Amino acid sequence: METADLAAGRGALGAGLVVAGIVVLALLIGMFLLGSRKVRDNDSRRPRPDEQPRMPEGGPVREVQEHREPEEMPRTDERLTPHELKGHGNAGTRTGSAEGRPRWDEGGSGGFGSGGPGAH
């Protein structure tokens, strides 16, 4: 008789754990759905078609290619701190000379392993 009572107790315990697992799973799913709804409600609305970005009057903006040169550091006897420099320590640039960018010489080797014939 005692073994039958122990088996019945273990079955009830197992069933209770399954029910508790289902309840925890249902709570997790409910919390996820509630949280995602709250995030969606707080999110900004989508822009209307008339609020979409438009192309500029003059057509699409094109890339500007120019040679830039760094600004010269001021020559002083004292050490300068970043806030004393022009641009607050950011390296400024200016438009450089009209020279083109340096290119490889024709017949030059280029980089290592480029497969070129090399300079003779």
Side-chain angles (χ1 to χ4, degrees), residues 73-74 79-91:
M73 288 288 293
R79 181 176 181 174
L80 296 175
T81 58
H83 72 277
E84 295 172 321
L85 296 174
K86 183 178 176 181
H88 302 287
N90 295 327

Side-chain angles (χ1 to χ4, degrees), residues 66-69 93-97:
E66 63 182 4
H67 183 68
R68 304 290 293 176
E69 292 180 354
T93 61
R94 57 185 161 82
T95 303
S97 61

Side-chain angles (χ1 to χ4, degrees), residues 36-92:
S36 63
R37 183 178 302 154
K38 191 171 191 169
V39 167
R40 187 178 51 220
D41 290 344
N42 290 340
D43 202 10
S44 60
R45 66 173 181 77
R46 292 183 177 179
R48 295 188 308 263
D50 61 323
E51 296 173 336
Q52 296 291 329
R54 301 277 181 225
M55 188 177 300
E57 295 290 328
V61 179
R62 300 289 180 206
E63 179 181 351
V64 176
Q65 292 185 358
E66 63 182 4
H67 183 68
R68 304 290 293 176
E69 292 180 354
E71 294 283 347
E72 295 296 322
M73 288 288 293
R75 303 220 180 257
T76 61
D77 293 335
E78 296 179 16
R79 181 176 181 174
L80 296 175
T81 58
H83 72 277
E84 295 172 321
L85 296 174
K86 183 178 176 181
H88 302 287
N90 295 327

